[in-house]
């Protein structure tokens, strides 16, 4: 059993864990698909998009996230046999600040901030995260973005930067717990990096994998929760009894 009282710091993925990126993506992908005359489900759109984004991030590690979103959209269109105009690509690229937070994220983070140092480790650009952070309502102790490290998870750059942040914060590495939804983006590199982790299984009540690709390597996690509220409640109980 994972003892949450053993940790002093929590590092979080943001999109998929704290921010509902699938709802944000679908808000643009679905009307484009209707306009293009495609007979595809929302799940089909997310699956195609997830593959397109993962390859774009691998091919363009130094690009800012709006460029990744636009290129991933174009690749999604190619996979589904429909063109994506520059206007549609730009619309998705600019959409990050519009993506909603999961309903339990802000309250959970506020609770966790009372007992833990909070760190963001996210595949996004600084401006995009600033928009999302306004929805989360908490001050993170460190924010590590793809723009900062010049790469996208599951590349190791974020986790190497996380080690540097822990040194600066004077937090022992074994007192950090990584918290994330994506097995592909987070739990694979966390295991490779020797970090303990918690899986926030946001799709526990839905079939399919959504916009998150199938894991490309070995992964593990030390505990699973269906959402941030359940995790925060367990953490508070562990810290305070």
């Amino acid at each position: 059993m994972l003892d949450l009282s053993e940790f002093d710091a929590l590092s979080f993925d943001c999109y998929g864990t704290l921010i509902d990126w699938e709802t944000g993506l679908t808000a643009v992908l679905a009307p484009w698909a209707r306009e293009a005359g495609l007979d595809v489900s929302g799940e089909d759109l997310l699956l195609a998009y997830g593959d397109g984004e993962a390859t774009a991030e691998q091919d363009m590690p130094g690009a800012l996230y709006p460029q990744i979103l636009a290129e991933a959209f174009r690749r999604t269109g190619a996979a589904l046999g429909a063109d994506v105009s520059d206007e549609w690509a730009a619309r998705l690229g600019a959409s990050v600040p519009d993506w909603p937070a999961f309903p339990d994220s802000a309250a959970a983070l506020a609770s966790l901030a009372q007992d833990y140092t909070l760190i963001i480790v996210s595949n996004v650009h600084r401006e995009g995260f600033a928009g999302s952070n306004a929805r989360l309502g908490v001050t993170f102790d460190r924010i590590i973005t793809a723009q900062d490290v010049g790469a996208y998870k599951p590349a190791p750059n974020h986790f190497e930067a996380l080690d540097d942040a822990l040194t600066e914060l004077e937090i022992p590495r074994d007192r950090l717990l990584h918290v994330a939804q994506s097995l592909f983006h987070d739990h694979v590199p966390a295991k490779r990096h020797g970090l303990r982790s918690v899986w926030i299984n946001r799709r526990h009540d839905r079939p399919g994998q959504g916009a998150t690709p199938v894991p490309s390597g070995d992964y593990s996690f030390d505990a699973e929760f269906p959402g941030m509220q359940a995790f925060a409640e367990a953490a508070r109980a562990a810290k305070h009894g």
Side-chain angles (χ1 to χ4, degrees):
M1 295 293 291
L2 182 67
D3 183 355
L4 295 172
S5 69
E6 295 179 352
F7 301 96
D8 299 320
L10 304 172
S11 54
F12 290 93
D13 167 58
C14 183
Y15 300 93
T17 305
L18 305 175
I19 295 290
D20 186 354
W21 77 313
E22 291 187 344
T23 292
L25 290 168
T26 302
V28 179
L29 296 176
W32 163 79
R34 289 193 296 269
E35 182 180 285
L38 293 174
D39 183 17
V40 292
S41 68
E43 184 71 10
D44 289 335
L45 285 170
L46 291 173
L47 284 169
Y49 176 83
D51 290 339
E53 184 179 281
T55 58
E57 290 172 342
Q58 185 175 17
D59 294 344
M60 304 162 57
L64 293 180
Y65 193 51
Q67 297 171 276
I68 295 293
L69 287 166
E71 176 60 21
F73 199 174
R74 295 185 187 99
R75 296 184 186 200
T76 302
L80 296 174
D83 288 336
V84 174
S85 68
D86 290 343
E87 290 76 16
W88 275 111
R91 180 174 170 184
L92 187 64
S95 67
V96 173
D98 299 327
W99 297 356
F102 286 104
D104 61 352
S105 292
L109 289 169
S111 174
L112 293 165
Q114 298 177 47
D115 296 306
Y116 299 91
T117 296
L118 305 184
I119 303 170
I120 282 289
V121 183
S122 179
N123 275 359
V124 74
H125 58 311
R126 297 179 201 122
E127 183 180 354
F129 180 73
S132 298
N133 201 8
R135 297 177 181 273
L136 298 175
V138 70
T139 299
F140 290 92
D141 297 276
R142 288 292 187 279
I143 297 168
I144 300 168
T145 70
Q147 184 177 2
D148 297 316
V149 303
Y152 289 86
K153 298 179 291 182
N157 303 49
H158 283 82
F159 293 92
E160 293 165 355
L162 180 57
D163 282 341
D164 293 339
L166 292 175
T167 299
E168 293 171 4
L169 292 165
E170 299 183 344
I171 296 172
R173 201 167 183 269
D174 62 358
R175 302 291 292 184
L176 171 81
L177 182 67
H178 190 56
V179 183
Q181 179 270 332
S182 177
L183 302 177
F184 172 86
H185 295 97
D186 285 271
H187 291 282
V188 168
K191 178 178 176 63
R192 189 186 308 128
H193 209 64
L195 296 178
R196 302 185 76 181
S197 65
V198 160
W199 184 26
I200 304 299
N201 184 5
R202 289 291 189 182
R203 292 180 63 91
H204 67 277
D205 56 352
R206 290 172 288 166
Q209 66 193 55
T212 303
V214 173
S216 56
D218 292 337
Y219 66 88
S220 63
F221 46 85
D222 297 274
E224 175 185 346
F225 295 90
M228 282 294 297
Q229 179 179 346
F231 172 64
E233 289 173 352
R236 186 148 191 86
K239 286 286 191 179
H240 299 282

